[in-house]
Amino acid sequence: MLTIGAYKSGGNTEVDRAIAAMDGIARFLRQSIDERSEWTATLAGLNALAGGGK
């Protein structure tokens, strides 16, 4: 529905939150083969994506 533009925001709050998070999730998952990430930084990034425990 998103791809063809059939979804209208406000119809489902969970879907709206997921759509809003998509860019951040994609940035988090994108990592070059030479890029390193410390475990604590990785957990902090995941926590931030999840709303920081809200």
Side-chain angles (χ1 to χ4, degrees):
M1 291 184 69
L2 293 177
T3 306
I4 64 171
Y7 179 76
K8 303 290 185 219
S9 66
N12 184 312
T13 55
E14 287 184 29
V15 172
D16 293 341
R17 286 180 49 214
I19 292 168
M22 286 172 63
D23 289 340
I25 292 168
R27 279 191 303 275
F28 180 82
L29 294 174
R30 216 171 284 129
Q31 182 176 352
S32 71
I33 197 164
D34 298 328
E35 186 178 350
R36 302 247 182 240
S37 180
E38 295 294 324
W39 179 244
T40 54
T42 301
L43 290 179
L46 285 171
N47 190 40
L49 283 172
K54 290 182 184 176

mmCIF file of all heavy atoms in Angstrom:
data_model
loop_
_atom_site.group_PDB
_atom_site.id
_atom_site.type_symbol
_atom_site.label_atom_id
_atom_site.label_comp_id
_atom_site.label_asym_id
_atom_site.label_seq_id
_atom_site.Cartn_x
_atom_site.Cartn_y
_atom_site.Cartn_z
ATOM 1 N N MET A 1 0.818 -1.184 0.000
ATOM 2 C CA MET A 1 0.000 0.000 0.000
ATOM 3 C C MET A 1 0.868 1.256 0.000
ATOM 4 O O MET A 1 0.479 2.251 -0.586
ATOM 5 C CB MET A 1 -0.944 -0.018 1.185
ATOM 6 C CG MET A 1 -2.022 -1.080 1.058
ATOM 7 S SD MET A 1 -3.231 -1.067 2.393
ATOM 8 C CE MET A 1 -4.098 0.431 2.073
ATOM 9 N N LEU A 2 1.990 1.199 0.707
ATOM 10 C CA LEU A 2 2.877 2.356 0.727
ATOM 11 C C LEU A 2 3.463 2.637 -0.645
ATOM 12 O O LEU A 2 3.504 3.785 -1.091
ATOM 13 C CB LEU A 2 4.024 2.141 1.718
ATOM 14 C CG LEU A 2 3.666 2.076 3.187
ATOM 15 C CD1 LEU A 2 4.900 1.781 4.014
ATOM 16 C CD2 LEU A 2 3.009 3.354 3.636
ATOM 17 N N THR A 3 3.900 1.600 -1.301
ATOM 18 C CA THR A 3 4.558 1.748 -2.591
ATOM 19 C C THR A 3 3.641 2.368 -3.634
ATOM 20 O O THR A 3 4.082 3.192 -4.434
ATOM 21 C CB THR A 3 5.062 0.381 -3.084
ATOM 22 O OG1 THR A 3 5.872 -0.208 -2.074
ATOM 23 C CG2 THR A 3 5.876 0.524 -4.350
ATOM 24 N N ILE A 4 2.388 2.012 -3.612
ATOM 25 C CA ILE A 4 1.462 2.541 -4.609
ATOM 26 C C ILE A 4 0.723 3.790 -4.121
ATOM 27 O O ILE A 4 -0.111 4.333 -4.833
ATOM 28 C CB ILE A 4 0.448 1.467 -5.059
ATOM 29 C CG1 ILE A 4 -0.448 1.017 -3.896
ATOM 30 C CG2 ILE A 4 1.152 0.302 -5.707
ATOM 31 C CD1 ILE A 4 -1.604 0.126 -4.305
ATOM 32 N N GLY A 5 1.018 4.226 -2.889
ATOM 33 C CA GLY A 5 0.415 5.444 -2.362
ATOM 34 C C GLY A 5 -1.006 5.276 -1.865
ATOM 35 O O GLY A 5 -1.738 6.257 -1.733
ATOM 36 N N ALA A 6 -1.404 4.050 -1.555
ATOM 37 C CA ALA A 6 -2.780 3.803 -1.132
ATOM 38 C C ALA A 6 -2.986 4.003 0.368
ATOM 39 O O ALA A 6 -4.127 4.141 0.800
ATOM 40 C CB ALA A 6 -3.193 2.387 -1.516
ATOM 41 N N TYR A 7 -1.901 4.063 1.154
ATOM 42 C CA TYR A 7 -2.066 4.228 2.606
ATOM 43 C C TYR A 7 -2.155 5.701 2.949
ATOM 44 O O TYR A 7 -1.339 6.511 2.524
ATOM 45 C CB TYR A 7 -0.907 3.590 3.377
ATOM 46 C CG TYR A 7 -1.052 3.787 4.873
ATOM 47 C CD1 TYR A 7 -1.962 3.035 5.593
ATOM 48 C CD2 TYR A 7 -0.323 4.758 5.548
ATOM 49 C CE1 TYR A 7 -2.145 3.223 6.950
ATOM 50 C CE2 TYR A 7 -0.487 4.955 6.909
ATOM 51 C CZ TYR A 7 -1.401 4.194 7.602
ATOM 52 O OH TYR A 7 -1.578 4.387 8.940
ATOM 53 N N LYS A 8 -3.143 6.062 3.746
ATOM 54 C CA LYS A 8 -3.304 7.429 4.235
ATOM 55 C C LYS A 8 -2.915 7.444 5.711
ATOM 56 O O LYS A 8 -3.422 6.640 6.498
ATOM 57 C CB LYS A 8 -4.760 7.895 4.103
ATOM 58 C CG LYS A 8 -5.299 7.820 2.698
ATOM 59 C CD LYS A 8 -4.649 8.866 1.813
ATOM 60 C CE LYS A 8 -5.282 8.858 0.446
ATOM 61 N NZ LYS A 8 -4.378 9.046 -0.630
ATOM 62 N N SER A 9 -2.006 8.351 6.069
ATOM 63 C CA SER A 9 -1.569 8.411 7.469
ATOM 64 C C SER A 9 -2.757 8.724 8.374
ATOM 65 O O SER A 9 -3.715 9.387 7.973
ATOM 66 C CB SER A 9 -0.470 9.452 7.644
ATOM 67 O OG SER A 9 -0.967 10.738 7.407
ATOM 68 N N GLY A 10 -2.664 8.217 9.591
ATOM 69 C CA GLY A 10 -3.725 8.402 10.566
ATOM 70 C C GLY A 10 -4.670 7.226 10.656
ATOM 71 O O GLY A 10 -5.444 7.123 11.594
ATOM 72 N N GLY A 11 -4.562 6.313 9.716
ATOM 73 C CA GLY A 11 -5.444 5.150 9.721
ATOM 74 C C GLY A 11 -5.071 4.120 10.765
ATOM 75 O O GLY A 11 -5.920 3.383 11.249
ATOM 76 N N ASN A 12 -3.780 4.069 11.111
ATOM 77 C CA ASN A 12 -3.292 3.093 12.076
ATOM 78 C C ASN A 12 -2.038 3.668 12.724
ATOM 79 O O ASN A 12 -1.030 3.867 12.058
ATOM 80 C CB ASN A 12 -2.977 1.779 11.365
ATOM 81 C CG ASN A 12 -2.545 0.682 12.299
ATOM 82 O OD1 ASN A 12 -1.685 0.875 13.149
ATOM 83 N ND2 ASN A 12 -3.125 -0.487 12.137
ATOM 84 N N THR A 13 -2.095 3.945 14.019
ATOM 85 C CA THR A 13 -0.969 4.608 14.688
ATOM 86 C C THR A 13 0.297 3.762 14.673
ATOM 87 O O THR A 13 1.397 4.303 14.564
ATOM 88 C CB THR A 13 -1.319 4.992 16.137
ATOM 89 O OG1 THR A 13 -1.761 3.841 16.847
ATOM 90 C CG2 THR A 13 -2.391 6.059 16.178
ATOM 91 N N GLU A 14 0.165 2.449 14.777
ATOM 92 C CA GLU A 14 1.354 1.587 14.737
ATOM 93 C C GLU A 14 2.019 1.647 13.368
ATOM 94 O O GLU A 14 3.245 1.701 13.266
ATOM 95 C CB GLU A 14 0.994 0.143 15.098
ATOM 96 C CG GLU A 14 0.704 -0.038 16.574
ATOM 97 C CD GLU A 14 0.446 -1.488 16.922
ATOM 98 O OE1 GLU A 14 0.999 -2.385 16.237
ATOM 99 O OE2 GLU A 14 -0.295 -1.737 17.882
ATOM 100 N N VAL A 15 1.229 1.631 12.329
ATOM 101 C CA VAL A 15 1.763 1.724 10.976
ATOM 102 C C VAL A 15 2.410 3.093 10.775
ATOM 103 O O VAL A 15 3.492 3.203 10.204
ATOM 104 C CB VAL A 15 0.672 1.456 9.914
ATOM 105 C CG1 VAL A 15 1.178 1.740 8.517
ATOM 106 C CG2 VAL A 15 0.177 0.019 10.022
ATOM 107 N N ASP A 16 1.771 4.134 11.263
ATOM 108 C CA ASP A 16 2.335 5.481 11.143
ATOM 109 C C ASP A 16 3.693 5.572 11.833
ATOM 110 O O ASP A 16 4.634 6.171 11.291
ATOM 111 C CB ASP A 16 1.382 6.520 11.737
ATOM 112 C CG ASP A 16 0.098 6.660 10.948
ATOM 113 O OD1 ASP A 16 0.057 6.242 9.772
ATOM 114 O OD2 ASP A 16 -0.880 7.200 11.509
ATOM 115 N N ARG A 17 3.812 4.990 13.018
ATOM 116 C CA ARG A 17 5.097 4.986 13.737
ATOM 117 C C ARG A 17 6.142 4.199 12.973
ATOM 118 O O ARG A 17 7.311 4.605 12.891
ATOM 119 C CB ARG A 17 4.916 4.413 15.141
ATOM 120 C CG ARG A 17 4.211 5.369 16.088
ATOM 121 C CD ARG A 17 4.019 4.824 17.481
ATOM 122 N NE ARG A 17 5.259 4.275 18.009
ATOM 123 C CZ ARG A 17 5.320 3.224 18.819
ATOM 124 N NH1 ARG A 17 4.236 2.601 19.190
ATOM 125 N NH2 ARG A 17 6.472 2.794 19.263
ATOM 126 N N ALA A 18 5.757 3.070 12.401
ATOM 127 C CA ALA A 18 6.694 2.248 11.629
ATOM 128 C C ALA A 18 7.182 3.001 10.391
ATOM 129 O O ALA A 18 8.376 2.975 10.077
ATOM 130 C CB ALA A 18 6.035 0.927 11.233
ATOM 131 N N ILE A 19 6.270 3.677 9.724
ATOM 132 C CA ILE A 19 6.649 4.449 8.541
ATOM 133 C C ILE A 19 7.610 5.561 8.925
ATOM 134 O O ILE A 19 8.621 5.794 8.250
ATOM 135 C CB ILE A 19 5.393 5.014 7.840
ATOM 136 C CG1 ILE A 19 4.571 3.876 7.235
ATOM 137 C CG2 ILE A 19 5.769 6.044 6.784
ATOM 138 C CD1 ILE A 19 3.184 4.282 6.776
ATOM 139 N N ALA A 20 7.332 6.237 10.030
ATOM 140 C CA ALA A 20 8.197 7.322 10.487
ATOM 141 C C ALA A 20 9.588 6.818 10.842
ATOM 142 O O ALA A 20 10.575 7.550 10.714
ATOM 143 C CB ALA A 20 7.559 8.023 11.683
ATOM 144 N N ALA A 21 9.694 5.577 11.287
ATOM 145 C CA ALA A 21 10.978 5.008 11.710
ATOM 146 C C ALA A 21 11.782 4.410 10.560
ATOM 147 O O ALA A 21 12.971 4.107 10.737
ATOM 148 C CB ALA A 21 10.738 3.935 12.774
ATOM 149 N N MET A 22 11.192 4.236 9.403
ATOM 150 C CA MET A 22 11.843 3.507 8.303
ATOM 151 C C MET A 22 13.203 4.077 7.905
ATOM 152 O O MET A 22 14.162 3.324 7.745
ATOM 153 C CB MET A 22 10.922 3.452 7.082
ATOM 154 C CG MET A 22 9.773 2.486 7.252
ATOM 155 S SD MET A 22 8.544 2.548 5.925
ATOM 156 C CE MET A 22 9.506 2.039 4.524
ATOM 157 N N ASP A 23 13.316 5.383 7.746
ATOM 158 C CA ASP A 23 14.594 5.974 7.332
ATOM 159 C C ASP A 23 15.681 5.745 8.381
ATOM 160 O O ASP A 23 16.812 5.410 8.051
ATOM 161 C CB ASP A 23 14.442 7.462 7.040
ATOM 162 C CG ASP A 23 13.663 7.738 5.770
ATOM 163 O OD1 ASP A 23 13.555 6.828 4.919
ATOM 164 O OD2 ASP A 23 13.167 8.867 5.624
ATOM 165 N N GLY A 24 15.335 5.936 9.646
ATOM 166 C CA GLY A 24 16.305 5.723 10.714
ATOM 167 C C GLY A 24 16.764 4.280 10.798
ATOM 168 O O GLY A 24 17.945 4.000 11.018
ATOM 169 N N ILE A 25 15.850 3.357 10.613
ATOM 170 C CA ILE A 25 16.195 1.931 10.629
ATOM 171 C C ILE A 25 17.113 1.604 9.460
ATOM 172 O O ILE A 25 18.118 0.905 9.627
ATOM 173 C CB ILE A 25 14.927 1.059 10.605
ATOM 174 C CG1 ILE A 25 14.160 1.223 11.919
ATOM 175 C CG2 ILE A 25 15.270 -0.406 10.351
ATOM 176 C CD1 ILE A 25 12.763 0.640 11.908
ATOM 177 N N ALA A 26 16.798 2.120 8.291
ATOM 178 C CA ALA A 26 17.643 1.871 7.116
ATOM 179 C C ALA A 26 19.051 2.432 7.331
ATOM 180 O O ALA A 26 20.038 1.768 6.992
ATOM 181 C CB ALA A 26 17.007 2.474 5.874
ATOM 182 N N ARG A 27 19.152 3.644 7.912
ATOM 183 C CA ARG A 27 20.481 4.217 8.190
ATOM 184 C C ARG A 27 21.247 3.357 9.193
ATOM 185 O O ARG A 27 22.444 3.146 9.060
ATOM 186 C CB ARG A 27 20.349 5.642 8.724
ATOM 187 C CG ARG A 27 20.146 6.691 7.648
ATOM 188 C CD ARG A 27 20.289 8.096 8.198
ATOM 189 N NE ARG A 27 19.376 8.385 9.307
ATOM 190 C CZ ARG A 27 18.128 8.796 9.159
ATOM 191 N NH1 ARG A 27 17.627 8.971 7.952
ATOM 192 N NH2 ARG A 27 17.378 9.036 10.209
ATOM 193 N N PHE A 28 20.544 2.864 10.213
ATOM 194 C CA PHE A 28 21.183 2.034 11.230
ATOM 195 C C PHE A 28 21.727 0.742 10.623
ATOM 196 O O PHE A 28 22.815 0.293 10.980
ATOM 197 C CB PHE A 28 20.187 1.704 12.339
ATOM 198 C CG PHE A 28 20.760 0.854 13.432
ATOM 199 C CD1 PHE A 28 21.510 1.418 14.454
ATOM 200 C CD2 PHE A 28 20.554 -0.506 13.433
ATOM 201 C CE1 PHE A 28 22.047 0.635 15.455
ATOM 202 C CE2 PHE A 28 21.088 -1.307 14.433
ATOM 203 C CZ PHE A 28 21.835 -0.729 15.448
ATOM 204 N N LEU A 29 20.996 0.146 9.718
ATOM 205 C CA LEU A 29 21.382 -1.136 9.139
ATOM 206 C C LEU A 29 22.459 -1.021 8.063
ATOM 207 O O LEU A 29 23.118 -2.002 7.746
ATOM 208 C CB LEU A 29 20.154 -1.837 8.556
ATOM 209 C CG LEU A 29 19.107 -2.270 9.575
ATOM 210 C CD1 LEU A 29 17.882 -2.816 8.859
ATOM 211 C CD2 LEU A 29 19.679 -3.292 10.539
ATOM 212 N N ARG A 30 22.630 0.152 7.513
ATOM 213 C CA ARG A 30 23.615 0.363 6.450
ATOM 214 C C ARG A 30 24.994 0.521 7.083
ATOM 215 O O ARG A 30 25.250 1.443 7.828
ATOM 216 C CB ARG A 30 23.263 1.633 5.672
ATOM 217 C CG ARG A 30 23.561 1.513 4.213
ATOM 218 C CD ARG A 30 23.001 2.688 3.435
ATOM 219 N NE ARG A 30 21.545 2.533 3.281
ATOM 220 C CZ ARG A 30 20.657 3.487 3.584
ATOM 221 N NH1 ARG A 30 21.036 4.633 4.020
ATOM 222 N NH2 ARG A 30 19.380 3.260 3.417
ATOM 223 N N GLN A 31 25.891 -0.391 6.796
ATOM 224 C CA GLN A 31 27.243 -0.361 7.346
ATOM 225 C C GLN A 31 28.187 -0.931 6.305
ATOM 226 O O GLN A 31 27.935 -1.987 5.736
ATOM 227 C CB GLN A 31 27.300 -1.200 8.623
ATOM 228 C CG GLN A 31 28.635 -1.209 9.304
ATOM 229 C CD GLN A 31 28.580 -1.980 10.625
ATOM 230 O OE1 GLN A 31 27.517 -2.380 11.083
ATOM 231 N NE2 GLN A 31 29.724 -2.195 11.212
ATOM 232 N N SER A 32 29.270 -0.197 6.064
ATOM 233 C CA SER A 32 30.232 -0.698 5.091
ATOM 234 C C SER A 32 30.993 -1.878 5.695
ATOM 235 O O SER A 32 31.030 -2.065 6.910
ATOM 236 C CB SER A 32 31.212 0.405 4.670
ATOM 237 O OG SER A 32 32.101 0.702 5.721
ATOM 238 N N ILE A 33 31.606 -2.654 4.854
ATOM 239 C CA ILE A 33 32.313 -3.854 5.293
ATOM 240 C C ILE A 33 33.494 -3.512 6.212
ATOM 241 O O ILE A 33 33.862 -4.297 7.081
ATOM 242 C CB ILE A 33 32.754 -4.700 4.088
ATOM 243 C CG1 ILE A 33 33.094 -6.110 4.529
ATOM 244 C CG2 ILE A 33 33.912 -4.049 3.351
ATOM 245 C CD1 ILE A 33 33.168 -7.097 3.399
ATOM 246 N N ASP A 34 34.049 -2.311 6.057
ATOM 247 C CA ASP A 34 35.197 -1.897 6.878
ATOM 248 C C ASP A 34 34.786 -1.135 8.132
ATOM 249 O O ASP A 34 35.636 -0.841 8.972
ATOM 250 C CB ASP A 34 36.138 -1.018 6.049
ATOM 251 C CG ASP A 34 36.712 -1.757 4.856
ATOM 252 O OD1 ASP A 34 36.918 -2.985 4.964
ATOM 253 O OD2 ASP A 34 36.943 -1.121 3.812
ATOM 254 N N GLU A 35 33.517 -0.809 8.268
ATOM 255 C CA GLU A 35 33.050 -0.010 9.401
ATOM 256 C C GLU A 35 32.866 -0.893 10.630
ATOM 257 O O GLU A 35 32.258 -1.953 10.580
ATOM 258 C CB GLU A 35 31.735 0.663 9.034
ATOM 259 C CG GLU A 35 31.226 1.627 10.066
ATOM 260 C CD GLU A 35 29.934 2.289 9.621
ATOM 261 O OE1 GLU A 35 29.549 2.127 8.447
ATOM 262 O OE2 GLU A 35 29.318 2.943 10.461
ATOM 263 N N ARG A 36 33.375 -0.418 11.742
ATOM 264 C CA ARG A 36 33.238 -1.142 13.008
ATOM 265 C C ARG A 36 32.286 -0.374 13.925
ATOM 266 O O ARG A 36 32.182 0.839 13.850
ATOM 267 C CB ARG A 36 34.597 -1.258 13.701
ATOM 268 C CG ARG A 36 35.620 -1.957 12.855
ATOM 269 C CD ARG A 36 35.973 -3.275 13.485
ATOM 270 N NE ARG A 36 37.003 -3.934 12.707
ATOM 271 C CZ ARG A 36 36.826 -5.103 12.150
ATOM 272 N NH1 ARG A 36 35.700 -5.734 12.293
ATOM 273 N NH2 ARG A 36 37.782 -5.668 11.456
ATOM 274 N N SER A 37 31.622 -1.094 14.781
ATOM 275 C CA SER A 37 30.729 -0.475 15.753
ATOM 276 C C SER A 37 30.896 -1.196 17.086
ATOM 277 O O SER A 37 30.805 -2.422 17.143
ATOM 278 C CB SER A 37 29.281 -0.575 15.273
ATOM 279 O OG SER A 37 28.415 0.025 16.198
ATOM 280 N N GLU A 38 31.144 -0.415 18.117
ATOM 281 C CA GLU A 38 31.249 -0.998 19.454
ATOM 282 C C GLU A 38 29.877 -1.516 19.895
ATOM 283 O O GLU A 38 28.842 -0.966 19.520
ATOM 284 C CB GLU A 38 31.747 0.052 20.453
ATOM 285 C CG GLU A 38 33.166 0.529 20.187
ATOM 286 C CD GLU A 38 34.196 -0.572 20.380
ATOM 287 O OE1 GLU A 38 34.016 -1.404 21.293
ATOM 288 O OE2 GLU A 38 35.165 -0.595 19.608
ATOM 289 N N TRP A 39 29.885 -2.565 20.694
ATOM 290 C CA TRP A 39 28.644 -3.190 21.150
ATOM 291 C C TRP A 39 27.763 -2.182 21.883
ATOM 292 O O TRP A 39 26.557 -2.111 21.650
ATOM 293 C CB TRP A 39 28.974 -4.385 22.039
ATOM 294 C CG TRP A 39 27.782 -5.092 22.590
ATOM 295 C CD1 TRP A 39 27.432 -5.199 23.892
ATOM 296 C CD2 TRP A 39 26.769 -5.793 21.859
ATOM 297 N NE1 TRP A 39 26.270 -5.923 24.018
ATOM 298 C CE2 TRP A 39 25.840 -6.299 22.774
ATOM 299 C CE3 TRP A 39 26.560 -6.035 20.502
ATOM 300 C CZ2 TRP A 39 24.724 -7.021 22.402
ATOM 301 C CZ3 TRP A 39 25.434 -6.763 20.130
ATOM 302 C CH2 TRP A 39 24.543 -7.247 21.068
ATOM 303 N N THR A 40 28.351 -1.364 22.755
ATOM 304 C CA THR A 40 27.552 -0.396 23.514
ATOM 305 C C THR A 40 26.934 0.647 22.583
ATOM 306 O O THR A 40 25.798 1.068 22.793
ATOM 307 C CB THR A 40 28.387 0.285 24.603
ATOM 308 O OG1 THR A 40 29.549 0.863 24.013
ATOM 309 C CG2 THR A 40 28.795 -0.688 25.694
ATOM 310 N N ALA A 41 27.659 1.060 21.545
ATOM 311 C CA ALA A 41 27.121 2.019 20.577
ATOM 312 C C ALA A 41 25.990 1.384 19.779
ATOM 313 O O ALA A 41 24.987 2.042 19.476
ATOM 314 C CB ALA A 41 28.217 2.518 19.652
ATOM 315 N N THR A 42 26.141 0.118 19.441
ATOM 316 C CA THR A 42 25.095 -0.601 18.713
ATOM 317 C C THR A 42 23.829 -0.682 19.557
ATOM 318 O O THR A 42 22.730 -0.400 19.074
ATOM 319 C CB THR A 42 25.571 -2.013 18.332
ATOM 320 O OG1 THR A 42 26.737 -1.895 17.513
ATOM 321 C CG2 THR A 42 24.499 -2.784 17.591
ATOM 322 N N LEU A 43 23.973 -1.052 20.818
ATOM 323 C CA LEU A 43 22.805 -1.128 21.709
ATOM 324 C C LEU A 43 22.160 0.232 21.897
ATOM 325 O O LEU A 43 20.928 0.334 21.928
ATOM 326 C CB LEU A 43 23.217 -1.713 23.063
ATOM 327 C CG LEU A 43 23.584 -3.195 23.065
ATOM 328 C CD1 LEU A 43 23.994 -3.630 24.458
ATOM 329 C CD2 LEU A 43 22.440 -4.043 22.554
ATOM 330 N N ALA A 44 22.967 1.277 22.029
ATOM 331 C CA ALA A 44 22.419 2.622 22.178
ATOM 332 C C ALA A 44 21.646 3.023 20.921
ATOM 333 O O ALA A 44 20.566 3.643 21.022
ATOM 334 C CB ALA A 44 23.547 3.618 22.458
ATOM 335 N N GLY A 45 22.157 2.677 19.756
ATOM 336 C CA GLY A 45 21.448 2.983 18.516
ATOM 337 C C GLY A 45 20.131 2.251 18.407
ATOM 338 O O GLY A 45 19.115 2.816 18.007
ATOM 339 N N LEU A 46 20.120 0.984 18.782
ATOM 340 C CA LEU A 46 18.879 0.204 18.772
ATOM 341 C C LEU A 46 17.873 0.768 19.773
ATOM 342 O O LEU A 46 16.681 0.869 19.482
ATOM 343 C CB LEU A 46 19.165 -1.264 19.102
ATOM 344 C CG LEU A 46 19.796 -2.087 17.998
ATOM 345 C CD1 LEU A 46 20.228 -3.449 18.544
ATOM 346 C CD2 LEU A 46 18.829 -2.268 16.837
ATOM 347 N N ASN A 47 18.369 1.144 20.944
ATOM 348 C CA ASN A 47 17.493 1.720 21.970
ATOM 349 C C ASN A 47 16.875 3.032 21.470
ATOM 350 O O ASN A 47 15.690 3.280 21.662
ATOM 351 C CB ASN A 47 18.268 1.949 23.261
ATOM 352 C CG ASN A 47 17.372 2.314 24.410
ATOM 353 O OD1 ASN A 47 16.295 1.762 24.572
ATOM 354 N ND2 ASN A 47 17.817 3.252 25.217
ATOM 355 N N ALA A 48 17.677 3.855 20.803
ATOM 356 C CA ALA A 48 17.162 5.111 20.260
ATOM 357 C C ALA A 48 16.102 4.849 19.188
ATOM 358 O O ALA A 48 15.067 5.531 19.155
ATOM 359 C CB ALA A 48 18.307 5.938 19.688
ATOM 360 N N LEU A 49 16.327 3.861 18.332
ATOM 361 C CA LEU A 49 15.350 3.518 17.306
ATOM 362 C C LEU A 49 14.040 3.013 17.927
ATOM 363 O O LEU A 49 12.961 3.253 17.391
ATOM 364 C CB LEU A 49 15.889 2.447 16.372
ATOM 365 C CG LEU A 49 16.892 2.921 15.322
ATOM 366 C CD1 LEU A 49 17.483 1.735 14.587
ATOM 367 C CD2 LEU A 49 16.231 3.882 14.347
ATOM 368 N N ALA A 50 14.167 2.328 19.047
ATOM 369 C CA ALA A 50 12.982 1.766 19.700
ATOM 370 C C ALA A 50 12.251 2.797 20.556
ATOM 371 O O ALA A 50 11.278 2.472 21.218
ATOM 372 C CB ALA A 50 13.404 0.569 20.561
ATOM 373 N N GLY A 51 12.731 4.012 20.546
ATOM 374 C CA GLY A 51 12.054 5.059 21.296
ATOM 375 C C GLY A 51 12.635 5.282 22.673
ATOM 376 O O GLY A 51 12.027 5.949 23.501
ATOM 377 N N GLY A 52 13.792 4.709 22.945
ATOM 378 C CA GLY A 52 14.460 4.944 24.213
ATOM 379 C C GLY A 52 13.693 4.484 25.433
ATOM 380 O O GLY A 52 13.799 5.067 26.495
ATOM 381 N N GLY A 53 12.882 3.456 25.263
ATOM 382 C CA GLY A 53 12.152 2.902 26.406
ATOM 383 C C GLY A 53 10.857 3.638 26.717
ATOM 384 O O GLY A 53 10.346 3.557 27.802
ATOM 385 N N LYS A 54 10.343 4.374 25.739
ATOM 386 C CA LYS A 54 9.074 5.120 25.959
ATOM 387 C C LYS A 54 7.932 4.185 26.143
ATOM 388 O O LYS A 54 7.813 3.165 25.593
ATOM 389 C CB LYS A 54 8.799 6.035 24.762
ATOM 390 C CG LYS A 54 9.755 7.187 24.691
ATOM 391 C CD LYS A 54 9.380 8.063 23.511
ATOM 392 C CE LYS A 54 10.388 9.182 23.362
ATOM 393 N NZ LYS A 54 10.143 10.003 22.208
#
